[in-house]
Amino acid sequence: MNNFSIFMRGIVKENPVLILLLGLCPALAVSTQAENALGMGIATTFVLVCSNLAISLLRNVIPDKVRIPCYIVLISGFVTLVQMIVEAYAYTLYQALGIFLPLIATNCVIFGRAEVFANKNNAFKSLLDAIGMGAGFTLALLLIASVREIFGSGTWFGIEIPILISNNIPILTLAPGGFVVFGFLVAVVNKFSKTGTRNEFGCKGCPQAKACGKGGTLS
């Protein structure tokens, strides 16, 4: 696979949110406003890039039996760093993201790329993979948040939209509205995608396949 394909895969073919259906908790929780979604996407991308690089560079040093605890320590360190940066320089965003900012440490997108890609490839390819996956995650969050904010609040990035400001659908800013928008977008993506989600990322490619009893035999 060439470098361009590695980069684009996370944006299109294996979008973490709309195709792989990973990281859905922050995707739905912070996507009530486009500004918050963009902030979460950038923070997650930063952690993803740093962790992929670190794990790729240390993949021959980290013992296989303790690789998961090592991943946790590395990822948690980068999450703490980004949390401190956001708190210091974007306190409003820090308050808006709340608990979901430190919970980036448990984001399955980051752990998935560490185990599936960074642990098996060189630093440059791991960097491209992280940027692509981070961009795909950010774009998906921004798309969901834009739909919810525009039609739910009548604004976009806090800017009022004349027609919709007084004719909005408030339920879209609540949890049920988030699920409705997310389900609709996934349906649209599946409709126009040449390959379905399970064909792109099934049990065979899942690092947790053995743990759930599938044994990596299904696709």
Side-chain angles (χ1 to χ4, degrees):
M1 183 178 295
N2 60 48
N3 293 334
F4 182 74
S5 297
I6 292 174
F7 171 74
M8 290 300 297
R9 181 174 57 183
I11 300 176
V12 183
K13 293 183 65 178
E14 294 184 10
N15 185 282
V17 177
L18 299 179
I19 298 295
L20 303 186
L21 308 182
L22 300 175
L24 300 185
C25 185
L28 296 176
V30 306
S31 61
T32 55
Q33 292 186 326
E35 185 176 359
N36 296 343
L38 183 60
M40 173 60 77
I42 293 174
T44 303
T45 301
F46 175 84
V47 175
L48 186 57
V49 167
C50 293
S51 60
N52 258 28
L53 274 176
I55 291 168
S56 178
L57 291 171
L58 297 172
R59 70 185 190 279
N60 295 323
V61 178
I62 299 175
D64 187 63
K65 291 183 179 180
V66 294
R67 68 183 188 281
I68 299 301
C70 291
Y71 295 168
I72 293 173
V73 172
L74 286 170
I75 293 170
S76 298
F78 292 126
V79 170
T80 301
L81 176 61
V82 77
Q83 185 179 359
M84 293 170 65
I85 293 173
V86 174
E87 184 178 9
Y89 297 101
Y91 190 69
T92 302
L93 178 63
Y94 174 80
Q95 290 182 309
L97 296 181
I99 189 60
F100 295 100
L101 187 57
L103 282 179
I104 292 175
T106 63
N107 194 316
C108 49
V109 176
I110 299 174
F111 278 96
R113 300 325 295 172
E115 177 70 7
V116 174
F117 198 91
N119 189 41
K120 301 177 178 65
N121 292 274
N122 61 43
F124 181 68
K125 289 185 176 181
S126 297
L127 175 62
L128 290 178
D129 177 76
I131 295 174
M133 286 289 169
F137 183 79
T138 303
L139 289 173
L141 258 65
L142 188 57
L143 178 59
I144 296 171
S146 293
V147 174
R148 295 179 68 185
E149 183 179 359
I150 290 173
F151 294 101
S153 301
T155 62
W156 192 60
F157 281 97
I159 302 173
E160 293 186 357
I161 301 174
I163 298 177
L164 296 177
I165 191 64
S166 56
N167 297 282
N168 51 52
I169 310 171
I171 195 173
L172 292 181
T173 63
L174 304 177
F179 280 102
V180 170
V181 172
F182 172 71
F184 176 77
L185 292 176
V186 170
V188 171
V189 169
N190 285 337
K191 175 66 176 179
F192 292 99
S193 177
K194 293 182 180 179
T195 54
T197 300
R198 285 182 58 83
N199 291 332
E200 287 298 323
F201 189 82
C203 295
K204 187 179 296 184
C206 177
Q208 300 298 327
K210 293 182 179 180
C212 75
K214 300 297 184 181
T217 59
L218 302 178
S219 59

